[in-house]
Amino acid sequence: TQPKLLISEEKILKARKDISQGHKNIVLGVSASGPTKRWGIKNFIRLIEKINEKYPTKFYLVAGKNDQQIIDEILNSNIGSNCISLNHLKIDEMLPIIANCNLYCGNDTGFMHISAALNLKTVALFIDSPVLAYGKYSENINVIIPEGESEESTNHDTLGADKISFDRVYNKCIELLSS
């Protein structure tokens, strides 16, 4: 079944006032439950730069409580002014913001599942986790797997961070933002 998270219209409208309507708005899931499940931060910075060349974009960064260093690396980059960290918020405060975005792109994390349930198109990077267990239940989830793997072969020992094609991630984001 297609999961759905329901948020009051009032909360969504209130959050919309703080979200730029003249930009695309993308949630970036830059963290994960462990280092082997993370696409490199330099890849995310490059992705931010390249998407922003095509569309004026604001990026909403989501990560775990212990991942402030990852967030800071992005915020301190050349494109950091286009990014907003949601790490200081509680999840119930993040949900209306996420619901107002156009896309989620990031690692297979809880935020990926939340975004899909909020009806966002998601680009989900399955670097070191089983696609069939976590990535096929929602029509909103667009899976990207390491080169040389299949959806059936990805598992908790895939160790594919260096095998996720930047171009595939970028092209899928642009395709979903354009549709």
Side-chain angles (χ1 to χ4, degrees), residues 24-39:
K24 298 288 186 182
N25 296 288
I26 299 176
V27 178
L28 286 182
V30 297
S31 180
S33 59
T36 63
K37 290 181 67 177
R38 293 182 185 144
W39 201 40

Side-chain angles (χ1 to χ4, degrees), residues 37-53:
K37 290 181 67 177
R38 293 182 185 144
W39 201 40
I41 291 305
K42 291 192 182 348
N43 289 320
F44 281 109
I45 292 170
R46 183 174 168 212
L47 185 68
I48 292 166
E49 291 170 342
K50 192 136 166 118
I51 288 174
N52 201 59
E53 288 173 8

Side-chain angles (χ1 to χ4, degrees), residues 76-147:
N76 292 326
S77 73
N78 291 338
I79 198 78
S81 62
N82 288 55
C83 302
I84 299 164
S85 172
L86 300 183
N87 252 26
H88 62 286
L89 301 175
K90 296 177 184 174
I91 288 186
D92 67 326
E93 296 170 319
M94 291 180 193
L95 292 177
I97 296 168
I98 293 170
N100 277 289
C101 289
N102 305 100
L103 179 74
Y104 168 92
C105 179
N107 302 311
D108 166 32
T109 68
F111 288 110
M112 183 269 302
H113 298 287
I114 287 169
S115 296
L118 288 170
N119 207 31
L120 259 69
K121 300 169 196 171
T122 64
V123 177
L125 310 179
F126 277 81
I127 293 169
D128 197 33
S129 56
V131 170
L132 296 179
Y134 305 119
K136 300 307 284 186
Y137 66 89
S138 170
E139 63 192 29
N140 293 326
I141 299 173
N142 295 271
V143 172
I144 296 190
I145 59 174
E147 291 180 22

